[in-house]
Amino acid sequence: MTEAQMLPRLIRLGPNLYGAVFTLMKLVPAQYILRRALQRGELTEDTVIVETTSGTFGLSLAMQAALMERELILVSDPAIDDNLHRRLTDLGAKVEMCLEPAPVGGYQGARLTKLAEIRASLPSTFCPEQYNNPDNARSYHVVADQLVRTFGTVDCLVGTVGTAGSMCGTGGGLREYSSHTQIIGVDSHRSVLFGQPDGPRSLRGLGNSLWPANLDHTLFDEIHWCSAAEAYAQTRALHAESALFQGPTSGAAHLVAQWWAAKNPDGLCVVILPDEGYRYQATVYDDAWLAANGELLAERPTEPVTVASPAEAGDRWTRLVWGRRSYEEVPGVVPRVTHPLAERALS
């Protein structure tokens, strides 16, 4: 698969708003990380690729491993849906499930522990370590280059934050061309990434129970948190109004980007839309499922509630001016949540 095939389509969504529309965004870091491992001699014919994931990075790895004819073991949790599980196994991946969360780090902590056990039992493994591998963020510089070639200056980049690779990589690349570019991260409530306490999250694909080493807080101008219902409603609106059939992370990002673009008519805004919506046809795109799960929103919000600290964030769409500060400089953040197996950053 070529680099050009993995890059997003750039689609105009409004007078000053463009979507970077991916079919499967995580193919970008998956291919880059595995190629770099091959170049460094870390991935031989006998090396087993192992990783912890419950989403599209696992699918991207499975696609690449199948093309490379390498064995792949993925450690996941109940967030993985049946259709994705079936597709992973069809591609030849072995999926190990963690059915109970860990006391620290939730399911992600449990998955890291299981991952370490698997690696200890095998003679040769390579772990992409999507949360801590700087190659994750580096891989997205090709996206920043694409945006600069197309638009010149991008005044605002909006996208969701999970491993932080796409936003820190793309945003960091844009800042090399224009220091004034605003970077707005979209998170879910009860994610630890920007100062909220850890808790259950039905909105997946963004947020985290642990800090990824790839996250550079000082890049971000604003942070927005949104609820699952708000993200799902905006996902459906994006489909109905722009004919873009994307997943709920795209809906969450588009909710914020549409608002920013309207507030700043003279600024060019690009929103990252990570993956297509086919995995969500029986959930996000099903009114009966939304109603049964209490996620059917009667009316979409038009603007966020602005707060001064993460401690003030409620359960609806909320905005905090982060101001390119470090985590410790922002008032009201909870103590950093770590897991001993997530502390090792790659050199």
Side-chain angles (χ1 to χ4, degrees):
M1 188 172 293
T2 67
E3 181 180 283
Q5 290 173 312
M6 294 187 295
L7 287 174
R9 294 171 291 146
L10 301 178
I11 296 177
R12 191 172 189 177
L13 301 175
N16 61 329
L17 175 61
Y18 287 81
V21 185
F22 287 88
T23 299
L24 185 60
M25 183 179 73
K26 291 298 183 76
L27 279 171
V28 175
Q31 185 181 88
Y32 185 85
I33 288 170
L34 294 180
R35 282 183 174 178
R36 291 271 292 169
L38 279 170
Q39 292 167 359
R40 292 191 294 255
E42 298 172 355
L43 188 55
T44 68
E45 291 184 1
D46 298 323
T47 301
V48 179
I49 304 168
V50 294
E51 180 60 296
T52 166
T53 176
S54 63
T56 53
F57 188 65
L59 176 58
S60 300
L61 284 178
M63 294 168 69
Q64 293 296 320
L67 294 172
M68 297 170 65
E69 299 182 338
R70 294 297 196 280
E71 184 179 352
L72 172 66
I73 300 175
L74 299 173
V75 181
S76 194
D77 62 51
I80 195 170
D81 60 85
D82 291 341
N83 290 333
L84 176 58
H85 190 282
R86 186 180 306 113
R87 192 170 177 191
L88 293 172
T89 54
D90 281 350
L91 286 164
K94 181 180 179 182
V95 182
E96 296 278 356
M97 296 292 291
C98 293
L99 301 178
E100 298 294 335
V104 175
Y107 279 110
Q108 285 162 318
R111 281 160 32 188
L112 285 168
T113 300
K114 181 65 175 177
L115 182 73
E117 294 172 357
I118 292 171
R119 299 193 72 180
S121 70
L122 296 172
S124 177
T125 63
F126 171 75
C127 182
E129 296 195 67
Q130 62 167 329
Y131 299 106
N132 298 332
N133 191 338
D135 280 341
N136 183 349
R138 288 188 191 113
S139 71
Y140 287 100
H141 279 229
V142 297
V143 179
D145 291 343
Q146 178 193 21
L147 297 179
V148 170
R149 287 196 308 269
T150 304
F151 301 115
T153 297
V154 174
D155 297 300
C156 181
L157 178 73
V158 180
T160 54
V161 185
T163 68
S166 61
M167 282 301 288
C168 289
T170 308
L174 289 176
R175 285 269 175 82
E176 293 177 6
Y177 295 95
S178 176
S179 61
H180 89 276
T181 298
Q182 291 192 43
I183 299 176
I184 299 180
V186 183
D187 197 3
S188 58
H189 292 287
R190 291 169 293 281
S191 158
V192 305
L193 294 179
F194 294 96
Q196 289 196 24
D198 186 31
R201 301 184 304 277
S202 57
L203 180 58
R204 307 296 295 211
L206 68 165
N208 215 310
S209 294
L210 298 168
W211 260 27
N214 290 319
L215 177 56
D216 180 0
H217 290 91
T218 64
L219 280 175
F220 291 90
D221 294 279
E222 294 185 14
I223 299 302
H224 291 238
W225 296 275
C226 69
S227 70
E230 290 165 334
Y232 298 160
Q234 193 67 24
T235 303
R236 297 286 294 273
L238 180 63
H239 185 219
E241 297 166 6
S242 301
L244 289 177
F245 190 55
Q246 299 296 113
T249 50
S250 296
H254 183 253
L255 177 70
V256 176
Q258 193 176 58
W259 169 83
W260 189 95
K263 292 287 185 181
N264 300 272
D266 295 328
L268 177 71
C269 181
V270 175
V271 57
I272 296 178
L273 307 178
D275 67 335
E276 293 182 321
Y278 296 100
R279 288 176 55 203
Y280 312 100
Q281 286 177 288
T283 54
V284 176
Y285 287 93
D286 185 336
D287 286 346
W289 182 90
L290 291 173
N293 287 273
E295 304 289 8
L296 191 60
L297 203 62
E299 185 177 354
R300 282 184 289 143
T302 57
E303 61 182 358
V305 173
T306 300
V307 297
S309 81
E312 300 173 18
D315 285 328
R316 58 152 294 181
W317 178 17
T318 308
R319 166 181 176 259
L320 171 65
V321 177
W322 192 268
R324 306 189 188 185
R325 291 174 288 182
S326 69
Y327 189 83
E328 291 75 20
E329 290 177 312
V330 177
V333 297
V334 299
R336 176 180 171 181
V337 178
T338 61
H339 185 285
L341 296 174
E343 285 291 274
R344 183 172 66 87
L346 302 181
S347 58

